Structures are given as C-alpha cells and as structure tokens.
Amino acid sequence: MKKYLIGFVLSCCLLALVAFRVVGYEQHFATAEVVKVQGFYIFTDSKPVMPFENLGTVEITFVADTQYESIRNHLIKRARKKFPDADGLIMMFDKKGADKCEVIKFKR
C-alpha cells in the first residue's frame, strides 16, 4: 500500500511541475506606451490594460482655443484640482465641444 501512495504522490508532483509554465506578455499591433503629462498618464481613445478604478469624470464645455494641447491641459488642471491622488486620464473628445475625461487610479 505504501508503494502505491509514494507512486501517487510522486506522479502528482511531476504533473504539477509539468503543468505550470511561465507566460510572457506578447506585443500586438495595438500595444503602446502611454505618455505621461504633468504627472498623469494620458489615454486618448484607448483604455489601460492594468486594473484601475474610476474616480469620476471631469468635463469642459467651453475653451477659447480648440487645439488638442489646450483642451488636454484644461482637463488636467480640473482633474488635479478635483482628484489630487489620480494616476491617469482617459480622454473623450466631442465635436460639439463637450469634451470630458474619466479620472482613474491604478490598483496596486
């Protein structure tokens, strides 16, 4: 009986060693590295891969300058004021001028 028990335990150990393997991250055409601006990771028309929690939304309806950089900086300024512990912004732009962003914090 002892022989069968030792054989069973050894085969379970061998199976456990063979079953596990290291999985590496594969790069795809959609893989990118995000730019960090003024302390925030900026995601435009994309979502982060890492798990995160949504802290809230920041909106702007009127900006004198309609350039991307100006709108982005206004959103960053409002997000920093409203959510000082945030890590990133997911930008969403609208043709009609109601631009907004989701303010996120990465889970650690």
Side-chain angles (χ1 to χ4, degrees):
M1 185 69 172
K2 242 182 179 179
K3 255 191 335 184
Y4 293 118
L5 183 63
I6 291 173
F8 178 73
V9 170
L10 285 176
S11 59
C12 285
C13 291
L14 182 64
L15 200 78
L17 287 174
V18 174
F20 294 108
R21 64 182 179 138
V22 177
V23 177
Y25 181 75
E26 292 182 34
Q27 293 181 350
H28 299 284
F29 291 118
T31 304
E33 191 165 320
V34 181
V35 176
K36 194 171 187 178
V37 179
Q38 299 178 23
F40 289 106
Y41 293 101
I42 305 297
F43 298 89
T44 306
D45 294 332
S46 60
K47 295 239 183 216
V49 176
M50 298 293 293
F52 64 91
E53 64 178 286
N54 191 341
L55 299 178
T57 303
V58 175
E59 297 180 3
I60 56 172
T61 52
F62 178 75
V63 178
D65 189 9
T66 59
Q67 295 295 317
Y68 165 76
E69 202 169 291
S70 174
I71 295 169
R72 181 195 67 199
N73 291 340
H74 276 70
L75 286 169
I76 289 172
K77 189 176 179 181
R78 286 198 178 180
R80 176 165 290 139
K81 196 177 287 187
K82 197 170 178 182
F83 305 100
D85 61 336
D87 292 326
L89 305 175
I90 302 173
M91 305 278 188
M92 293 165 276
F93 298 104
D94 187 9
K95 295 192 244 196
K96 298 172 185 162
D99 301 315
K100 62 182 179 178
C101 69
E102 290 181 24
V103 184
I104 62 170
K105 179 146 186 81
F106 291 109
K107 294 180 181 177
R108 308 229 188 286

